[in-house]
Amino acid sequence: MPAKKQDKVLVACPHCGHQQAEPRTGISSVCKKCGGHLRVQEILHPTAKAAERGPERKLVTCFECGAELEVPVSAESTMCKRCSRYVDMKNYVINSAVSKNFKTKGSFVIDPKGYVFNTEAVVKEAVIKGRFLGKLFAEQSLTVYSTAEIKGSFKTARLVVPAANHFRWPEQIKITSAEIAGELAANVLAKETVVLKSTARLFGDVEAANLIVEEGAVVVGRIRIGGKS
């Protein structure tokens, strides 16, 4: 009794365009012309695959109730599904004098010529190169350059001082973690890890759960590792 003929269809190689017959229910194969890998079902049903992926998304939390919200990466705002509050997600770049409050899940950048005063800023991540006068809370990270002038108060999860830059603060800095590649003159209290890059210079006392010091870094001050923070 002759073998049952297998149902086949023509599929085009996405690498070279060569067409060849493959089983309709096949999963994968190899192009007979270029040797490239063929995903048979993706070639036969490309629209279904694209629909599965959808737009790239990210998670943000509502300022008011803390609910987690899944939104497209490109979105600049949304409404909280739990409390119906507006959530700003725009990125702000300040290059002039501005006196207003900011509340965004996006980035907040003050250029060297920028001056933000009499403000309360609650942002996802902040980069300060200019002047800031007020209260700043950077939820994720705060990067400070030598040209920055900060007066008031700030809180952040992660402090970053880039290489060839310096930052001086008169009070103890309480943070979750830090990455210092430039110069920091301050006492630091960190819940997690402080990383001192090879170009770092730290003048002050450090208390942290963990300290990573690369060869070449300079530390002048007392160090306490693993204590309660």
Side-chain angles (χ1 to χ4, degrees), residues 20-43:
Q20 63 188 54
E22 294 291 342
R24 187 181 296 276
T25 57
I27 302 299
S28 65
S29 185
V30 176
C31 177
K32 295 176 181 177
K33 183 176 181 181
C34 71
H37 182 225
L38 305 180
R39 293 182 174 86
V40 177
Q41 295 306 310
E42 288 186 18
I43 296 172

Side-chain angles (χ1 to χ4, degrees), residues 41-42 45-53:
Q41 295 306 310
E42 288 186 18
H45 309 288
T47 53
K49 183 69 178 177
E52 286 175 14
R53 284 197 303 266

Side-chain angles (χ1 to χ4, degrees), residues 121 123-126 136-142 155-158:
V123 302
K124 180 182 178 182
E125 52 190 17
L136 171 63
F137 174 64
E139 187 177 75
Q140 196 171 87
S141 66
L142 168 62
K155 291 183 180 180
T156 186
R158 182 169 179 262

Side-chain angles (χ1 to χ4, degrees), residues 73-98:
V73 169
S74 58
E76 292 191 339
S77 65
T78 190
M79 298 294 290
C80 178
K81 295 178 181 178
R82 181 189 292 174
C83 68
S84 300
R85 294 296 183 91
Y86 173 80
V87 181
D88 186 6
M89 296 183 292
K90 291 193 291 290
N91 298 325
Y92 292 89
V93 179
I94 312 299
N95 49 31
S96 60
V98 176

Side-chain angles (χ1 to χ4, degrees), residues 22-180:
E22 294 291 342
R24 187 181 296 276
T25 57
I27 302 299
S28 65
S29 185
V30 176
C31 177
K32 295 176 181 177
K33 183 176 181 181
C34 71
H37 182 225
L38 305 180
R39 293 182 174 86
V40 177
Q41 295 306 310
E42 288 186 18
I43 296 172
L44 294 178
H45 309 288
T47 53
K49 183 69 178 177
E52 286 175 14
R53 284 197 303 266
E56 190 178 354
R57 304 179 78 81
K58 64 181 178 181
L59 284 176
V60 299
T61 54
C62 174
F63 285 113
E64 303 301 325
C65 69
E68 281 196 343
L69 310 171
E70 187 176 4
V71 298
V73 169
S74 58
E76 292 191 339
S77 65
T78 190
M79 298 294 290
C80 178
K81 295 178 181 178
R82 181 189 292 174
C83 68
S84 300
R85 294 296 183 91
Y86 173 80
V87 181
D88 186 6
M89 296 183 292
K90 291 193 291 290
N91 298 325
Y92 292 89
V93 179
I94 312 299
N95 49 31
S96 60
V98 176
S99 178
K100 61 174 286 188
N101 293 335
F102 293 86
K103 200 171 188 178
T104 180
K105 292 292 181 175
S107 62
F108 177 70
V109 180
I110 303 180
D111 281 343
K113 293 183 179 179
Y115 179 26
V116 179
F117 58 99
N118 297 335
T119 184
E120 288 189 12
V122 180
V123 302
K124 180 182 178 182
E125 52 190 17
V127 178
I128 311 298
K129 299 179 181 179
R131 299 168 67 193
F132 180 90
L133 173 60
K135 296 180 180 180
L136 171 63
F137 174 64
E139 187 177 75
Q140 196 171 87
S141 66
L142 168 62
T143 302
V144 184
Y145 287 78
S146 297
T147 51
E149 183 183 338
I150 301 175
K151 292 184 178 180
S153 64
F154 71 84
K155 291 183 180 180
T156 186
R158 182 169 179 262
L159 176 67
V160 179
V161 180
N165 288 271
H166 62 266
F167 179 50
R168 180 184 298 274
W169 194 249
E171 301 171 5
Q172 184 184 58
I173 299 175
K174 297 180 180 180
I175 49 180
T176 301
S177 64
E179 181 179 307
I180 311 302

